[in-house]
């Protein structure tokens, strides 16, 4: 007799697992189609999992975003949010292309400087920074997003000792998300602006920033408009250099076709997952591309009709934008080697594929969620075409170490020694939760430059 758990784990009436193919940049497709032997050698030689990072696509994303702001008539400085990927190659690309870097703390700041990004192009946005980080920020002329009046006082004291001025953004809570743990309340902001005036020998108030959860372009535009108001107020109160509005990160990324994403959400149910896992929510994988979202923010009507970009231009406001995920869109993927296949199709309708490595190298657990785009199956030998439902497990001793809880409809049976490729993993997936659990080495990152049509791809290990 079946237990209720077994019933839950059986495939539903819909039968086949839902296919959610990941969108692919043409260069990624070309690499997978034409240079399979190189990828296999790298995975064999450097170990599983292996992260492949593609700085040329990162550079292309910078160009696209720059163009979006320029076409919207907005003056904007792009700072790459370094937290989204630890690879040094992206910082080097940022320095080469003349964009800045947004860092949360001293180790990221050091990496940004070592990668060649000048201090005046570095923003520091971690909450309640300590004095050591303040000292570095002041020495290098970085832009510091200050979270509280007490942090502002500490920063001013540090700048006074160094006989310099600190460049400051006042991070302010927005009307839409007044409960955010980041930033100043209206009363605190009022006090901080007054203090900036009093401490003008050591504090240069450059503008305002905010932290917003979610991907609503309208909400981000409205918050930016509030910050323009704060700049105008600060100028009236004796801080003429208040000219920057930092709209943060949060530009969306499209991983899968939007229609498919809508269909997925309609059909999604716990029976589609190992252990009938019921997730509360997912990243919006079918969202609009980042450049389109940037255009929508800048074109958003504010104050009875004019666009946000037009209002900013009228008041001499320059935007700062801190994309992480968006600049990394398509700029990397992750390969795992299949270590074992436990074929439970007769018992419960799907197999468990165990890969060398763990789910810490494909993080969504921080958000208690699953990385949903289907992995690709690369096999050395062709197999019979037949849908093979399987979830993917890590090779640690934790029951919860699932790389993919969702049952994937692989196009043929998965075999030991096959490779799985998770596409578009550079933004947060690769390394934000990586762990040396079980004394495992952290996965390598192979930087591949494709070099254009007909060229031989060049690879090296990441590092400065
Ligand atoms: C202050 C700040 N800037 C930028 C980002 C980057 O966000 P995203 O990767 O969604 O663009 C974050 C994300 O947490 C952030 O907190």
């Amino acid at each position: 007799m079946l237990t209720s758990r077994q019933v839950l784990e059986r495939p539903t009436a819909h039968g086949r697992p839902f296919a959610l193919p990941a969108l692919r940049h043409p260069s990624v497709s070309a690499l997978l189609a034409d240079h399979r032997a190189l990828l296999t050698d790298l995975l064999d030689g450097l170990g599983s999992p292996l992260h492949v990072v593609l700085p040329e696509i990162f550079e292309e994303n910078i160009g696209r975003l720059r163009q979006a702001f320029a076409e919207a008539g907005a003056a904007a400085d792009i700072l790459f949010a370094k937290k989204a990927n630890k690879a040094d190659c992206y910082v080097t690309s940022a320095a080469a292309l003349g964009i800045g870097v947004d860092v949360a703390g001293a180790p990221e700041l050091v990496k940004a400087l070592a990668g060649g990004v000048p201090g005046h192009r570095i923003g520091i946005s971690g909450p309640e920074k300590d004095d050591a980080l303040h000292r570095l920020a002041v020495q290098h002329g970085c832009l510091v997003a200050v979270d509280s009046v007490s942090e502002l006082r500490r920063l001013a004291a540090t700048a006074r000792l160094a006989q310099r001025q600190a460049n400051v953004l006042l991070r302010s809570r927005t009307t839409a998300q007044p409960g955010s743990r980041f930033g100043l309340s209206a009363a605190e902001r009022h006090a901080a602006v007054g203090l900036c005036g009093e401490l003008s020998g050591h504090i240069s108030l450059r503008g305002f920033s905010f932290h917003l959860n979610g991907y609503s372009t309208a909400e981000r535009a409205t918050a930016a408009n509030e910050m323009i108001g704060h700049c105008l107020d600060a100028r009236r109160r004796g801080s003429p250099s208040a000219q920057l509005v930092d709209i943060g990160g949060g530009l969306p990324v499209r991983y899968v076709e939007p229609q498919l994403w809508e269909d997925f959400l309609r059909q999604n149910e716990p029976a589609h997952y190992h252990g009938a896992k019921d997730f509360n929510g997912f990243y919006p994988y079918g969202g609009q591309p980042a450049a389109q979202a940037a255009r929508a923010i800048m074109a958003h009507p504010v104050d009875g009709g004019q666009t946000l970009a037009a209002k900013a231009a009228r008041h001499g406001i320059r935007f700062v934008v801190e994309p992480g995920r968006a600049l990394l869109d398509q700029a990397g993927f992750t390969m795992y080697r299949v270590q074992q296949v436990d074929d439970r199709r007769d018992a419960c309708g799907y197999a468990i594929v165990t890969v060398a490595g763990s789910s810490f190298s494909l993080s969504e657990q921080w958000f208690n969620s699953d990385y949903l785009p289907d992995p690709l199956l690369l096999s050395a030998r062709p197999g019979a075409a037949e849908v093979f439902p399987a979830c993917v497990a890590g090779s640690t001793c934790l029951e919860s170490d699932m790389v993919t809880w969702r049952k994937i409809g692989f196009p043929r049976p998965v075999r030991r020694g096959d490779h799985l490729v998770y596409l578009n993993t550079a933004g947060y997936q690769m390394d934000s939760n990586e762990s040396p659990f079980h004394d495992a080495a952290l996965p390598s990152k192979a930087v591949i430059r494709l070099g254009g049509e007909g060229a031989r791809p060049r690879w090296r290990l990441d590092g400065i």
Side-chain angles (χ1 to χ4, degrees):
M1 210 174 89
L2 292 173
T3 65
S4 59
R5 186 171 180 82
Q6 280 172 312
V7 170
L8 269 177
E9 290 195 4
R10 276 186 176 279
T12 56
H14 308 304
R16 298 156 77 94
F18 194 91
L20 211 45
L23 293 172
R24 263 188 258 180
H25 188 284
S27 299
V28 172
S29 296
L31 193 54
L32 290 164
D34 305 335
H35 302 286
R36 186 79 66 83
L38 169 67
L39 296 175
T40 302
D41 281 355
L42 289 175
L43 184 60
D44 288 345
L46 298 171
S48 170
L50 172 71
H51 301 304
V52 173
V53 288
L54 305 164
E56 286 157 321
I57 298 179
F58 175 81
E59 291 160 10
E60 194 181 303
N61 291 337
I62 292 173
R64 203 169 286 139
L65 207 55
R66 271 183 164 155
Q67 193 182 346
F69 283 104
E71 284 172 4
D77 295 323
I78 300 175
L79 310 187
F80 165 54
K82 196 183 172 323
K83 61 178 81 67
N85 196 298
K86 294 179 196 148
D88 293 321
C89 69
Y90 299 123
V91 170
T92 315
S93 290
L97 268 66
I99 67 160
V101 172
D102 159 56
V103 304
E108 287 184 353
L109 172 55
V110 168
K111 286 266 193 121
L113 290 168
V117 182
H120 70 268
R121 290 215 181 99
I122 297 177
I124 305 184
S125 59
E128 294 292 348
K129 294 150 287 294
D130 64 14
D131 293 347
L133 181 54
H134 280 167
R135 267 195 299 278
L136 278 175
V138 167
Q139 272 159 10
H140 291 280
C142 307
L143 187 61
V144 185
V146 165
D147 252 336
S148 67
V149 173
S150 68
E151 188 189 351
L152 183 62
R153 286 189 195 281
R154 282 194 295 111
L155 179 60
T158 300
R160 187 181 307 116
L161 270 179
Q163 298 185 326
R164 287 174 187 254
Q165 261 200 328
N167 294 314
V168 165
L169 295 176
L170 293 178
R171 181 149 57 178
S172 306
R173 278 181 245 160
T174 63
T175 309
Q177 295 186 11
S180 168
R181 81 178 174 94
F182 302 113
L184 302 144
S185 67
E188 288 162 343
R189 187 186 67 247
H190 185 82
V193 169
L195 203 54
C196 287
E198 288 168 32
L199 299 171
S200 60
H202 302 294
I203 294 287
S204 171
L205 176 55
R206 304 294 311 283
F208 292 82
S209 65
F210 57 89
H211 184 273
L212 211 57
N213 265 337
Y215 295 93
S216 158
T217 53
E219 214 173 277
R220 203 162 287 277
T222 304
N225 188 33
E226 288 173 20
M227 302 302 131
I228 294 178
H230 300 340
C231 281
L232 301 182
D233 173 57
R235 288 179 194 174
R236 279 192 295 272
R237 294 176 60 199
S239 290
S241 57
Q243 289 165 354
L244 298 178
V245 166
D246 183 337
I247 64 171
L251 293 176
V253 165
R254 175 175 292 174
Y255 291 79
V256 301
E257 287 298 347
Q259 185 57 56
L260 210 53
W261 178 242
E262 293 305 316
D263 294 346
F264 166 84
L265 288 177
R266 258 195 315 279
Q267 296 180 29
N268 187 48
E269 55 172 294
H272 295 166
Y273 297 81
H274 170 64
K277 183 91 171 163
D278 192 4
F279 289 107
N280 279 333
F282 302 106
Y283 179 82
Y285 291 96
Q288 62 180 325
Q292 201 175 308
R295 282 192 184 89
I297 294 168
M298 291 297 129
H300 191 79
V302 292
D303 303 345
Q306 66 182 329
T307 67
L308 176 67
K311 179 173 175 184
R314 199 157 55 81
H315 292 292
I317 295 286
R318 206 177 165 79
F319 291 103
V320 176
V321 55
E322 301 168 352
R325 192 188 287 267
L327 290 185
L328 294 165
D329 184 18
Q330 296 285 341
F333 55 86
T334 298
M335 301 177 71
Y336 284 92
R337 193 178 51 253
V338 173
Q339 194 154 293
Q340 192 55 272
V341 180
D342 179 3
D343 192 347
R344 301 184 178 184
R345 281 178 297 168
D346 286 344
C348 55
Y350 65 99
I352 298 178
V353 169
T354 300
V355 291
S358 81
S359 56
F360 291 122
S361 300
L362 197 82
S363 352
E364 272 297 293
Q365 325 79 332
W366 199 332
F367 304 103
N368 187 26
S369 193
D370 213 22
Y371 185 64
L372 290 177
D374 287 353
L376 300 176
L377 172 62
L378 306 183
S379 314
R381 288 169 293 123
E386 149 192 17
V387 176
F388 185 80
C391 56
V392 182
S395 52
T396 70
C397 61
L398 299 177
E399 183 83 70
S400 62
D401 180 19
M402 297 299 295
V403 181
T404 301
W405 289 85
R406 195 165 66 87
K407 298 167 194 171
I408 303 295
F410 288 104
R412 57 185 175 277
V414 182
R415 290 183 297 221
R416 179 177 157 79
D418 284 349
H419 296 163
L420 300 187
V421 181
Y422 284 89
L423 294 166
N424 209 356
T425 55
Y428 295 104
Q429 304 304 328
M430 282 184 184
D431 60 18
S432 50
N433 285 1
E434 70 184 354
S435 159
F437 184 54
H438 282 327
D439 282 338
L442 293 181
S444 301
K445 289 197 179 90
V447 184
I448 298 187
R449 282 204 171 258
L450 296 147
E453 185 97 29
R456 190 162 63 87
R458 300 271 167 184
W459 80 271
R460 64 174 175 82
L461 279 175
D462 183 60
I464 288 172

